[in-house]
């Protein structure tokens, strides 16, 4: 009894201190208030002591100090748009209370060197950055896809997210300001921004909160990168048995980059990119997947200009997004991408209410789908015609001098009896890419409205070797019979594929997943490719060692990559047990 009362007093003391730092309005407690932060888009939903939403970097530092002193698990979260639960607590719980720090109020964005680079706080979204750069004729690392659902720049860096833009590779920087807990258990602020801001943490953060960085303080460190400048050459090597990009690639694990929440990121310095002046989308269809692979290999090997993007979707993906992503498509067209996070927040609140009333958590999806089914067709007729004629679809976006290069090549090889293409006008191009990027949420919707026939989604994010020719998966009959609906899409020129399997009711999803992963391993694939390990994939030894170096006490986001959730990685209670690979269990 006395122990329980002591714990309660300690908990109340921590909450009071957090409220004193950020204000009671921004310290959320209770299941209903914290739901949209605790639950991911597809996975997650553990308990938290509180969700804290600092409004300044200095507040975030002081919140970390309180959590560190109280020996709390610390989970830092930005937009919570991940698909593997990497920024949400696990239902199994931890050996310490959890404080979740949501950074989405930290939105200061500074332009450096006339916009050649930016200095971003952790709550800046891709959409915000894109809008800021557009008048300068420049672009961020990603301009569609994650930006549609309000994803943050910092989330992309921490997850080495790939994005759809072929020339830019995974999100990456070696310039970061972050907090970590060192081997002696001390909380420290590490400034590797290449900006002279002094040594005192509070002074450093006050300067960044105030903004307007003196250009004289900004340095370009020789050999240090603010983007993956080597990727354009790397992806062209179509003879390599190694995938172009994947989350365990040691080339791109560096401090904040790939950190998966094992440090607390305060600011990032990143390159921006010159926007193409003129672009053209070619919509290519084929019934034989080899046609697209031959095209991929020719373009990567022979074109002077790399494509801007090359997005693949199977007809099943097209159909899934057309029906179950229609309302999201139309909402983005009407309200813009910057209003999508608000829509998701309102939906989460509605779902929390229906759960509380015993109506389940899928009522909002069923209502929205009923509305979408009554709306008129929304995709352009020529895209619908391509859907009817071809099983495999490739959206090839070229810029400037690459346009005529692609046009001449496509006219030389197409049409054939089994393949063809169209040159999209602006309306068709926008619709094609938006339909492609509505697929992910459409799979969630399908599961929600077909709970009587679908057990769950097995979603795989895989990177095929660059030299793979037979890239399209054909499932064995006995495995296909366990799946109600299969969807394939991906970033085709990088050979990064997103494969989703809606498993039939009553079937063993984990057994299906393990069978699928074994098939992929036999093909030399690596996974995950760009969604990071979260709480769904095992981090291999190299990645786990990277996490351990960043976070020796296992205080930040413990359990990521299905590693130990215990303090000090479990070593204080049983070193032999802690050394066992991927252990989450207590000694």
């Amino acid at each position: 009894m006395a122990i329980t009362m002591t714990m309660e007093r300690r908990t109340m003391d921590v909450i009071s201190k957090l409220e004193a730092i950020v204000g009671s309005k921004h310290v959320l407690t209770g299941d209903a208030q914290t739901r949209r932060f605790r639950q991911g888009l597809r996975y997650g939903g553990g308990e938290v002591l509180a969700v804290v939403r600092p409004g300044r970097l200095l507040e975030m530092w002081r919140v970390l100090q309180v959590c560190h002193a109280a020996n709390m698990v610390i989970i830092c979260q930005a937009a919570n748009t991940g698909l593997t639960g990497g920024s949400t607590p696990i239902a199994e719980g931890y050996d310490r209370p959890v404080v979740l720090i949501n950074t989405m109020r930290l939105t200061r964005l500074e332009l450096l060197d006339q916009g050649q680079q930016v200095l971003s706080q952790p709550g800046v979204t891709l959409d915000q950055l894109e809008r800021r750069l557009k008048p300068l004729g420049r672009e961020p690392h990603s301009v569609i896809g994650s930006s549609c659902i309000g994803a943050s720049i910092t989330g992309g860096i921490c997850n080495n997210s790939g994005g759809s833009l072929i020339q830019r590779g995974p999100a990456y920087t070696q310039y970061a300001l972050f907090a970590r807990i060192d081997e002696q258990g001390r909380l420290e602020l590490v400034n590797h921004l290449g900006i002279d801001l002094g040594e005192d943490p509070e002074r450093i953060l006050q300067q960044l909160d105030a903004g307007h960085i003196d250009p004289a303080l900004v340095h370009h460190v020789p050999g240090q990168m603010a983007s993956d400048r080597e990727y354009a050459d790397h992806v062209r090597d179509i003879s390599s048995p190694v995938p172009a990009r994947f989350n365990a690639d040691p080339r791109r694990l560096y401090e904040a980059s790939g950190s998966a929440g094992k440090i607390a990121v305060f600011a990032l310095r990143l390159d921006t990119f010159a926007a193409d002046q003129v672009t053209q989308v070619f919509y290519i269809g084929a019934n034989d997947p080899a046609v697209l692979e031959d095209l991929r290999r020719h373009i990567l090997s022979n074109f002077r200009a790399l494509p801007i993007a090359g997005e693949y979707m199977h007809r099943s993906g097209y159909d899934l997004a057309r029906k179950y992503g229609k309302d999201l498509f139309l909402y983005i067209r009407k309200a813009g991408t910057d209003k999508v996070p608000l829509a998701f927040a309102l939906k989460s609140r509605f779902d929390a209410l229906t759960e509380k009333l015993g109506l389940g958590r899928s009522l909002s999806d069923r209502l929205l789908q009923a509305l979408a089914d009554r709306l008129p067709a929304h995709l352009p007729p020529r895209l619908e015609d391509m859907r009817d004629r071809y099983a495999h679809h490739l959206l090839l976006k070229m810029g400037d001098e690459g346009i005529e290069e692609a046009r001449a090549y496509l006219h030389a090889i197409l049409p054939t009896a089994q393949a063809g293409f169209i040159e999209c006008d602006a309306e068709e191009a926008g619709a094609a890419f938006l339909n492609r990027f509505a697929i992910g949420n459409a799979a969630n919707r399908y599961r929600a409205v077909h709970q009587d026939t679908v057990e769950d989604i097995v979603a795989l994010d895989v990177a095929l070797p660059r030299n793979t020719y037979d890239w399209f998966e054909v499932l064995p009959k006995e495995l296909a019979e366990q799946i109600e609906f299969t969807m394939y899409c991906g970033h085709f020129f990088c050979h990064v594929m997103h494969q989703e399997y809606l498993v039939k009711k009553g079937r063993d999803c984990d057994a299906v997943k393990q069978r699928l992963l074994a098939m992929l391993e036999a093909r030399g694939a690596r996974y995950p490719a760009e969604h990071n390990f979260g709480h769904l994939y095992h981090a291999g030894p190299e990645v786990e060692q990277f996490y351990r170096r960043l976070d020796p006490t296992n205080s930040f986001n413990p359990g990521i990559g299905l590693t130990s959730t215990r303090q000090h990685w479990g070593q204080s209670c049983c070193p032999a047990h802690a050394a066992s690979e991927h252990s989450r269990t207590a000694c």
Side-chain angles (χ1 to χ4, degrees):
M1 182 70 173
I3 294 175
T4 302
M5 291 184 66
T6 300
M7 287 295 294
E8 288 180 356
R9 284 197 294 270
R10 178 178 167 227
T11 296
M12 294 306 298
D13 180 58
V14 168
I15 291 175
S16 295
K17 289 179 179 178
L18 296 175
E19 290 177 339
I21 295 169
V22 304
S24 58
K25 177 182 177 182
H26 299 297
V27 179
L28 311 178
T29 58
D31 288 348
Q33 278 194 326
T34 62
R35 183 186 186 279
R36 71 185 180 98
F37 304 97
R38 292 183 295 106
Q39 295 194 348
L41 285 179
R42 288 188 177 172
Y43 181 84
E47 295 182 356
V48 297
L49 173 65
V51 172
V52 187
R53 303 182 68 235
R56 295 185 300 149
L57 295 179
L58 184 57
E59 291 179 357
M60 181 173 165
W61 173 249
R62 291 173 176 171
V63 166
L64 284 177
Q65 289 178 312
V66 169
C67 295
H68 174 240
N71 195 31
M72 299 284 172
V73 163
I74 302 164
I75 298 177
C76 293
Q77 175 195 89
N80 193 20
T81 59
L83 298 177
T84 58
S87 59
T88 52
I90 57 171
E92 297 90 331
Y94 304 83
D95 58 350
R96 295 148 286 167
V98 178
V99 172
L100 192 158
I101 301 174
N102 182 275
T103 62
M104 292 305 288
R105 294 178 63 221
L106 302 169
T107 58
R108 180 174 286 279
L109 177 66
E110 304 290 338
L111 300 179
L112 306 176
D113 193 17
Q114 289 79 50
Q116 302 285 313
Q117 290 187 333
V118 294
L119 179 65
S120 169
Q121 290 193 3
V124 175
T125 65
L126 287 166
D127 182 79
Q128 178 186 346
L129 178 56
E130 183 180 353
R131 290 170 184 270
R132 184 75 177 275
L133 293 175
K134 191 171 184 178
L136 305 178
R138 300 193 68 81
E139 294 177 335
H141 171 266
S142 298
V143 296
I144 196 167
S146 294
S147 58
C148 287
I149 53 175
S152 69
I153 296 170
T154 298
I157 292 292
C158 292
N159 290 314
N160 280 146
S161 298
S164 65
L165 301 182
I166 298 165
Q167 303 164 24
R168 300 176 192 176
Y172 183 73
T173 187
Q174 295 174 333
Y175 292 99
L177 175 71
F178 58 92
R180 70 186 293 266
I181 298 172
D182 68 13
E183 292 81 355
Q184 287 72 45
R186 298 170 299 201
L187 180 68
E188 62 176 352
L189 188 69
V190 180
N191 179 12
H192 287 167
L193 285 172
I195 303 175
D196 295 332
L197 298 169
E199 299 296 329
D200 178 64
E202 295 220 350
R203 176 62 180 152
I204 290 171
L205 298 173
Q206 285 172 341
Q207 291 180 78
L208 293 178
D209 280 329
H212 309 299
I213 301 300
D214 184 349
L217 302 177
V218 181
H219 305 287
H220 294 276
V221 181
Q224 198 154 321
M225 295 190 292
S227 64
D228 187 351
R229 299 172 188 164
E230 301 165 348
Y231 188 77
D233 292 327
H234 181 74
V235 74
R236 284 186 182 269
D237 184 3
I238 61 172
S239 65
S240 174
V242 179
R245 54 182 172 90
F246 53 99
N247 284 129
D249 188 350
R251 295 172 58 253
R252 293 298 172 252
L253 296 177
Y254 187 91
E255 296 183 343
S257 296
S259 60
K262 298 304 292 180
I263 53 178
V265 177
F266 283 76
L268 296 169
R269 181 175 157 192
L270 301 144
D271 288 334
T272 69
F273 305 87
D276 290 275
Q277 297 301 305
V278 182
T279 63
Q280 177 62 54
V281 173
F282 300 92
Y283 197 112
I284 303 160
N287 289 318
D288 181 356
V291 172
L292 299 187
E293 182 59 25
D294 288 338
L295 181 147
R296 169 185 171 271
R297 287 167 175 258
H298 179 87
I299 290 176
L300 290 177
S301 300
N302 298 293
F303 273 30
R304 294 185 303 276
L306 274 178
I308 298 170
E311 290 299 303
Y312 167 79
M313 59 180 165
H314 188 264
R315 179 187 283 149
S316 63
Y318 182 104
D319 290 346
L320 187 75
R322 176 177 61 177
K323 179 173 176 62
Y324 297 100
K326 181 195 281 190
D327 54 314
L328 179 62
F329 180 106
L330 294 173
Y331 179 83
I332 291 173
R333 277 291 176 89
K334 183 71 174 178
T337 56
D338 58 321
K339 297 297 191 297
V340 173
L342 173 62
F344 276 102
L346 292 174
K347 180 180 180 298
S348 180
R349 291 176 188 173
F350 184 86
D351 290 341
L353 176 62
T354 59
E355 276 186 309
K356 187 176 181 179
L357 296 174
L359 301 173
R361 56 188 295 182
S362 63
L363 180 59
S364 63
D365 283 294
R366 295 198 301 271
L367 292 173
L368 287 169
Q369 191 57 44
L371 172 63
D373 288 342
R374 286 163 175 76
L375 296 174
H378 62 294
L379 295 176
R382 288 209 302 167
L383 300 190
E384 296 281 60
D385 179 63
M386 293 292 285
R387 179 263 169 219
D388 293 340
R389 294 167 61 194
Y390 304 114
H392 303 278
H393 299 232
L394 178 63
L395 284 60
L396 177 64
K397 185 175 184 179
M398 303 298 297
D400 296 338
E401 70 275 6
I403 296 174
E404 189 53 44
E405 193 172 18
R407 181 179 288 129
Y409 173 62
L410 291 174
H411 277 295
I413 65 168
L414 298 174
T416 68
Q418 292 296 311
F421 78 98
I422 60 171
E423 290 195 33
C424 295
D425 61 27
E427 169 68 19
E428 291 167 335
F433 273 94
L434 191 48
N435 191 55
R436 156 67 182 89
F437 288 107
I439 288 175
N441 194 64
N444 294 343
R445 173 67 57 77
Y446 187 103
R447 175 181 59 180
V449 300
H450 293 284
Q451 293 179 356
D452 53 336
T453 60
V454 172
E455 185 68 28
D456 206 349
I457 299 173
V458 172
L460 302 183
D461 163 38
V462 303
L464 300 175
R466 280 169 280 173
N467 66 357
T468 299
Y469 190 83
D470 295 323
W471 58 273
F472 186 70
E473 179 180 77
V474 179
L475 295 176
K477 182 179 179 182
E478 68 275 11
L479 187 56
E481 288 175 344
Q482 301 182 57
I483 299 168
E484 176 168 310
F485 192 93
T486 305
M487 187 287 301
Y488 299 97
C489 65
H491 312 307
F492 189 63
F493 285 81
C494 305
H495 261 181
V496 167
M497 303 301 295
H498 303 305
Q499 304 180 174
E500 310 214 346
Y501 311 85
L502 291 128
V503 180
K504 289 181 179 178
K505 196 74 173 179
R507 301 302 177 97
D508 186 339
C509 291
D510 189 59
V512 169
K513 178 180 178 180
Q514 295 310 314
R515 178 76 186 280
L516 290 166
L517 292 178
M519 291 170 54
L520 288 164
E521 288 173 4
R523 299 169 64 195
R526 299 295 299 268
Y527 56 84
E530 61 178 3
H531 292 163
N532 222 330
F533 298 89
H535 295 288
L536 296 182
Y537 296 96
H538 285 289
E542 282 187 342
V543 177
E544 182 169 339
Q545 287 305 311
F546 174 64
Y547 292 163
R548 285 175 178 255
R549 288 194 298 272
L550 290 177
D551 184 20
T553 65
N554 205 20
S555 298
F556 289 100
N557 209 12
I560 201 73
L562 301 180
T563 57
S564 172
T565 61
R566 295 183 62 78
Q567 192 167 22
H568 299 289
W569 301 88
Q571 292 178 1
S572 60
C573 69
C574 178
H577 180 86
S580 65
E581 195 172 335
H582 310 312
S583 175
R584 272 190 168 176
T585 57
C587 297

